[in-house]
Amino acid sequence: MTTRTSVQEVLDPTRRREDAVAGYDVLGRAPQRELQALVDIAAQVCAVPRAAINIITSTQQQQIATTGFAPSICAREDSMCAAVLDHTDRVVVPDASLDARFHGNPFVTGVLGTVRFYASAPLTTPDGVIIGRLCVFDSAPRELVEAQEDALVAIAERVVDVLELRLRTRELEDSLAALTQARDELHRSNEALSVFAGQVSHDLRTPLTAIMASTEMLGQRPAVAGDEWSERLVATAHRSATRMAGMIEQILSHAKVGAELHRTDTDLRVVLASVLEDLAPTLEARSASVVAGELPTLPADEQQLYSVLLNLVSNAVKYARPGVAPVIEVSAERRGERWRCAVQDNGIGISAADRDRVFGLFSRVETSVEGSGIGLATARRIVEAHGGAIGVSSAEGPGTIVWFELPAETSALRG
């Protein structure tokens, strides 16, 4: 057990170093301008002719930027930096030929070089992994003052900063590429959904139309019209077929919204006026009143915003309290780069637990009122396709506030 633990302690740092080096992806590449500038500064600050940024792998030392000579690769066992790789601070050796760690090294003995002065600082990642060293050296013995040593350490830290910046930039680019691909896939899925919904609705419309026509004709037959039970049964079948046809149309509309926006300067006052005109019979029948405040002009798809306001206002009327005339307020306010539009009513309200669920497709919180559960899901899809958000908040007293936010861009408030 003791031996296994010691082996693990040796292997883990090596594996972590290999992973870190692989993540930075600098081996085998031409020296980067930022790294070249840093190694040049290191040589100048320490007043030596040669400097290098050495990355140490399990088998090699690879130089990713150098001053005074061309970058090269050598075996790890020949590397001077590998000999002091685990030192967490600076290493300064005035004469390597007199140092027990280096006097037999081929870069000191003349086999690969005649290094005498050697100094280095660790390249330590934010996770504490030393992946190599920034070193400066000379063929003549010398020393560094404390300020030069401190500068060498600081430059080594900047080397890691550059590597980290390149890594994070690459990760960000990969994330953006993935998001772009996901967006394109979503666009293709939306198009496929629209085609599918269109085909399904077409395939279902034909038999439903036949059923509706047949039940209508059947209801006019004397044998049916003269029998209360048969007449009620045929009427129920006709109403069910009619509702099914309406649901098919709603599903098709839901599949299509947001697939292609036609943004224009859309005056919400004009859109609301169209909604109120179309809902006039319903508003009159329920003795509902609608009060509108100042509404903005937005860069949006006018027809689709009509659907949003139509759903919200009609819901405010539909879910009124028994015996209480609906009172609906439509308002808007600027919030930074967005407009928040709100439809407030004095109806039965929505509990806090159900406020997110009401926007789900086919989700119905209040089943005592007839509906399909598609309206608010469609409104959310339209708003989100515009880059906005939609939600529910509490009103003072009874009722509900349903709001949606849309980008303002060049919108102008009109009184």
Side-chain angles (χ1 to χ4, degrees), residues 394-412:
S394 299
E396 292 185 7
T400 301
I401 300 174
V402 182
W403 55 265
F404 61 93
E405 291 184 348
L406 295 176
E409 293 185 11
T410 57
S411 59

Side-chain angles (χ1 to χ4, degrees), residues 265-270 293-298 339 411-415:
D265 287 338
T266 299
D267 190 338
L268 283 189
R269 295 180 310 166
V270 175
E294 296 181 336
L295 300 178
T297 293
L298 298 166
W339 279 102
S411 59
L413 182 65
R414 297 181 180 179

